[in-house]
């Protein structure tokens, strides 16, 4: 097989002679061995010309991948948290449920979500992103729509269970998917932009709920029903469009020319990423993740961010309502903290990529959250408490994307990375069960201090403390590797066997 005799649009040159002789087309990269590079389509070009082509390629990837994936996550987060907005529009009264039953419905989502999550990245790899992601979106869009038709507590519980099951694959799947496209020092800002959609959904959700709430009694449905129905229909439509808008992994993505495909694979392998290669699934990858101490410490760190994230996003309208602001105004006042969080999330993603100091970024940002929830616990003034919600959002949202990027940077191997991210994100989301129950109606008179105190503890102990511990341990491990203390692990091994060791190989230096 060979490349057609035409100029490449990025370089303006015909493919190199090596490229003509060794042309690699979609799906053929699995024939490359460990450490073997596809032919260089830019051989003979100057460093300046190569850099220009690389910038154009990166821009092409960004335009094709990031905007649509951000939209998918915005819809996902909107659908899982809009129940907090629906609560202010008489959800509990209409279904005749208590505050405890409402919290139980929130909790059930996280049970099914977390149990399904560790397996989803394996399914994503085996079924292809262009099939898996649109399919699960269609499923949860249908569930979301039917949630607007429930008439009792049992119906709400069933809908929340299946919503969690269907949504489980999106967040870990997209983070894993993006990590297979970008180099380690490029992934953070993209993950941050992607996750900022969660903060944007909080802003958008509050505005949307305030508008849809005015549809109360239209068609015999309450305002909260219309929130679920309209947002569910939108999800279904976007899910259908995703069959054409979501692409597969680099070795099979249809929007890449053969030359660009070679460039993507070469730049990933130059970054020492095994995600640039084909791997067949083996249980050894699963056990490698389970036995890795980093997996479980990252799970604790992510728990310290994700528990507060769900407590904040599910109950912010309730918290603001408790400060004395009524339904519509409370919905609108929930918008600014999310907007501020979205801006800081992207900023931290940029800083962490440039400095490669993800642990320090986590520690610095988490302190803002600790201060914010300390204000919510101790202050009496509604104004000061509302300011505390700003700092709370600023201290939580950036750490989600930054922690996921930190995990990805330090876990090598296609399936090991996928399994590890599934475990980390699944454990973090399981703490949504705790988050769903810490803000009780009976605590409204005391300003929800119990809930604020639990979030404070999560931020201080797990996020801040866990990040500090991981930073120290990784720094110590890097020192051992640079000193050659692990070189005995590769004695007698071939180059292929050494590369197959992934992040265990002594030459792999962890991102701090």
């Amino acid at each position: 097989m060979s490349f057609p005799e035409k100029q490449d649009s990025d370089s303006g040159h015909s493919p190199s002679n090596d490229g003509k002789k060794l042309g690699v087309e979609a799906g053929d990269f699995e024939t490359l061995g460990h450490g073997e590079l596809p032919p260089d389509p830019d051989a003979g070009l100057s460093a300046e010309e190569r850099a220009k082509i690389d910038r154009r390629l990166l821009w092409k990837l960004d335009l094709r991948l990031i905007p649509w994936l951000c939209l998918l996550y915005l819809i996902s987060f909107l659908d899982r948290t809009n129940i907090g907005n629906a609560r202010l529009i008489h959800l509990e009264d209409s279904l005749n449920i208590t505050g405890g039953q409402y919290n139980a419905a929130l909790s059930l989502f996280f049970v099914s979500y977390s149990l399904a999550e560790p397996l989803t990245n394996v399914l994503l790899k085996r079924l292809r992103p262009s099939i898996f992601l649109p399919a699960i979106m269609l499923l949860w869009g249908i569930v979301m729509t039917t949630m607007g038709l429930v008439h009792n507590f049992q119906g709400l519980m069933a809908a929340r269970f299946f919503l969690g099951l269907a949504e489980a694959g999106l967040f870990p799947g997209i983070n894993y998917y993006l990590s297979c496209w970008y180099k380690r020092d490029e992934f953070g800002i993209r993950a941050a932009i992607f996750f900022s959609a969660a903060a944007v959904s909080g802003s958008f959700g509050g505005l949307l709920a305030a508008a849809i709430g005015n549809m109360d009694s239209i068609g015999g449905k309450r305002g909260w029903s219309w929130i679920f129905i309209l947002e569910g229909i939108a999800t279904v439509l976007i899910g259908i469009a995703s069959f054409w808008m979501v692409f597969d992994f680099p070795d099979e993505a249809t929007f890449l020319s053969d030359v660009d495909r070679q460039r993507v694979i070469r730049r990933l392998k130059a970054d020492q990423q095994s995600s640039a290669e084909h791997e067949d699934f083996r249980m050894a990858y699963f056990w490698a993740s389970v036995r890795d101490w980093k997996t479980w410490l990252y799970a604790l760190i992510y728990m310290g961010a994700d528990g507060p994230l769900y407590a904040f996003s599910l109950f912010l309208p309730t918290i603001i309502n408790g400060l004395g602001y009524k339904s519509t105004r409370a919905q609108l006042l929930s918008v600014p903290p999310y907007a501020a969080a979205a801006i800081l999330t992207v900023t931290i993603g940029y800083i962490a990529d440039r400095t490669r100091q993800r642990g320090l970024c986590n520690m610095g940002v988490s302190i803002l959250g600790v201060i914010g929830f300390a204000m919510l616990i101790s202050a009496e003034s509604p104004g000061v408490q509302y300011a505390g919600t700003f700092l709370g959002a600023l201290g939580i949202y950036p750490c989600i994307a930054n922690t996921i990027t930190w995990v990805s940077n330090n876990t090598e191997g296609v399936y090991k990375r996928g399994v590890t991210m599934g475990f980390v994100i699944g454990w973090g989301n399981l703490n949504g069960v705790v988050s769903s129950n810490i803000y009780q109606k009976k605590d409204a008179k005391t300003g929800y201090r119990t809930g604020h105190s639990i979030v404070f503890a999560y931020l201080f102990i797990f996020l801040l403390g866990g990040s500090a511990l991981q930073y120290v341990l990784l720094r110590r491990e890097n020192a051992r590797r640079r000193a050659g203390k692990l070189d005995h692990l590769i004695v007698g091994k071939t180059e292929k066997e050494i590369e197959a060791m992934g992040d265990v190989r002594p030459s792999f230096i962890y991102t701090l």
Side-chain angles (χ1 to χ4, degrees):
M1 84 191 90
S2 62
F3 292 114
E5 293 288 342
K6 63 179 181 180
Q7 286 192 327
D8 171 49
S9 60
D10 284 330
S11 66
H13 292 69
S14 297
S16 67
N17 290 332
D18 287 340
K20 294 175 184 176
K21 290 185 291 185
L22 301 172
V24 184
E25 297 185 8
D28 288 343
F29 283 96
E30 61 190 72
T31 62
L32 295 173
H34 279 274
E36 184 182 346
L37 288 171
D40 184 0
D42 303 316
L45 299 185
S46 68
E48 183 178 344
E49 288 174 312
R50 284 175 176 270
K52 185 177 181 181
I53 291 170
D54 196 58
R55 286 194 298 271
R56 286 179 179 172
L57 176 62
L58 202 56
W59 182 239
K60 181 177 184 177
L61 298 183
D62 288 343
L63 288 179
R64 288 292 189 130
L65 302 176
I66 302 300
W68 193 259
L69 296 179
C70 283
L71 175 63
L72 299 193
Y73 192 57
L74 185 151
I75 295 297
S76 167
F77 209 80
L78 187 65
D79 286 348
R80 80 180 65 168
T81 59
N82 57 13
I83 192 170
N85 300 107
R87 188 185 196 186
L88 297 186
I89 314 178
H90 313 297
L91 169 70
E92 290 166 303
D93 293 337
S94 296
L95 299 182
N96 293 314
I97 62 176
T98 65
Q101 288 176 316
Y102 171 81
N103 289 343
L106 299 186
S107 301
L108 192 58
F109 169 91
F110 294 105
V111 173
S112 58
Y113 189 99
S114 302
L115 292 177
E117 215 159 19
L119 300 175
T120 56
N121 280 345
V122 175
L123 290 174
L124 174 72
K125 181 69 177 175
R126 294 176 77 89
L127 296 179
R128 297 169 31 208
S130 62
I131 299 298
F132 180 74
L133 295 177
I136 63 172
M137 198 164 187
L138 270 177
L139 290 174
W140 97 61
I142 292 169
V143 173
M144 185 81 258
T145 305
T146 59
M147 202 158 93
L149 306 177
V150 302
H151 298 287
N152 52 39
F153 173 62
Q154 290 78 10
L156 182 64
M157 288 287 279
R160 292 292 292 181
F161 177 85
F162 287 108
L163 184 65
L165 200 62
E167 278 202 38
L170 190 81
F171 184 64
I174 290 182
N175 276 287
Y176 166 57
Y177 172 73
L178 288 176
S179 74
C180 295
W181 279 94
Y182 293 99
K183 295 196 293 187
R184 286 183 286 175
D185 61 356
E186 297 167 345
F187 178 44
I189 182 65
R190 276 102 187 154
I193 292 171
F194 162 65
F195 184 72
S196 68
V200 172
S201 79
S203 298
F204 182 62
L207 293 171
L208 198 59
I212 296 177
N214 294 323
M215 294 179 63
D216 195 44
S217 299
I218 292 179
K221 296 292 181 186
R222 300 303 304 267
W224 64 264
S225 292
W226 283 114
I227 289 178
F228 298 146
I229 292 170
L230 293 180
E231 292 179 7
I233 292 172
T235 300
V236 169
L237 295 176
I238 292 172
I240 293 172
S242 294
F243 283 103
W244 288 271
M245 298 299 293
V246 174
F247 302 96
D248 291 322
F249 290 104
D251 59 341
E252 295 183 330
T254 56
F255 74 91
L256 291 176
S257 66
D258 291 334
V259 172
D260 278 343
R261 186 173 293 109
Q262 288 177 295
R263 290 175 178 138
V264 171
I265 298 298
R266 287 183 65 88
R267 68 197 309 275
L268 289 174
K269 289 179 76 76
D271 194 44
Q272 295 186 316
Q273 288 199 45
S274 297
S275 55
E277 302 168 342
H278 173 81
E279 276 184 355
D280 292 316
F281 178 73
R282 291 186 286 120
M283 282 303 294
Y285 300 129
F286 174 86
W287 292 115
S289 176
V290 171
R291 290 192 295 265
D292 192 338
W293 59 269
K294 300 190 307 298
T295 298
W296 306 111
L297 186 48
Y298 276 130
L300 288 178
I301 295 169
Y302 191 70
M303 159 187 170
D306 216 30
L309 169 73
Y310 285 118
F312 189 88
S313 58
L314 289 169
F315 289 99
L316 182 60
T318 301
I319 293 168
I320 295 175
N321 186 246
L323 298 180
Y325 302 105
K326 298 309 174 185
S327 177
T328 301
R329 194 175 183 193
Q331 304 274 28
L332 296 175
L333 284 174
S334 69
V335 173
Y338 286 120
I343 294 171
L344 187 61
T345 297
V346 176
T347 303
I348 291 297
Y350 178 83
I351 293 171
D353 272 357
R354 293 298 174 272
T355 63
R356 297 179 68 86
Q357 294 290 333
R358 303 200 184 280
L360 292 180
C361 286
N362 253 17
M363 288 182 265
V365 171
S366 63
I367 290 173
L368 294 177
V370 168
I371 294 172
F373 277 89
M375 291 167 62
L376 284 165
I377 293 167
S378 59
E380 298 291 340
S381 165
V384 174
Q385 288 184 308
Y386 183 60
T389 65
F390 270 87
L391 290 178
L394 294 175
I396 294 170
Y397 279 83
C399 290
I400 297 289
N402 190 54
T403 299
I404 291 300
T405 306
W406 202 10
V407 174
S408 175
N409 285 173
N410 290 335
T411 311
E412 194 49 82
V414 175
Y415 280 109
K416 183 187 176 185
R417 180 185 298 167
V419 171
T420 298
M421 291 178 74
F423 274 130
V424 169
I425 296 172
W427 176 250
N429 284 316
L430 191 57
N431 282 269
V433 175
V434 177
S435 304
S436 302
N437 290 282
I438 61 177
Y439 288 102
Q440 301 282 343
K441 256 189 172 181
K442 60 184 177 63
D443 295 329
K445 293 181 180 179
T446 61
Y448 298 106
R449 283 192 173 87
T450 300
H452 296 330
S453 298
I454 294 172
V455 172
F456 177 92
Y458 265 69
L459 291 170
F460 186 77
I461 298 171
F462 299 118
L463 182 54
L464 178 57
S467 296
L469 179 59
Q470 186 78 298
Y471 179 84
V472 170
L473 293 177
L474 291 177
R475 188 169 182 173
R476 181 181 300 173
E477 181 67 13
N478 282 348
R480 293 178 66 214
R481 294 182 177 209
R482 290 190 175 105
K485 294 182 178 180
L486 299 183
D487 288 351
H488 65 279
L489 296 176
I490 61 173
V491 174
K493 293 183 182 292
T494 65
E495 184 178 342
K496 179 179 179 180
E497 290 172 331
I498 293 171
E499 188 164 353
M501 293 171 69
D503 55 84
V504 178
R505 68 180 185 269
S507 61
F508 188 94
I509 301 300
Y510 292 115
T511 299
L512 299 179

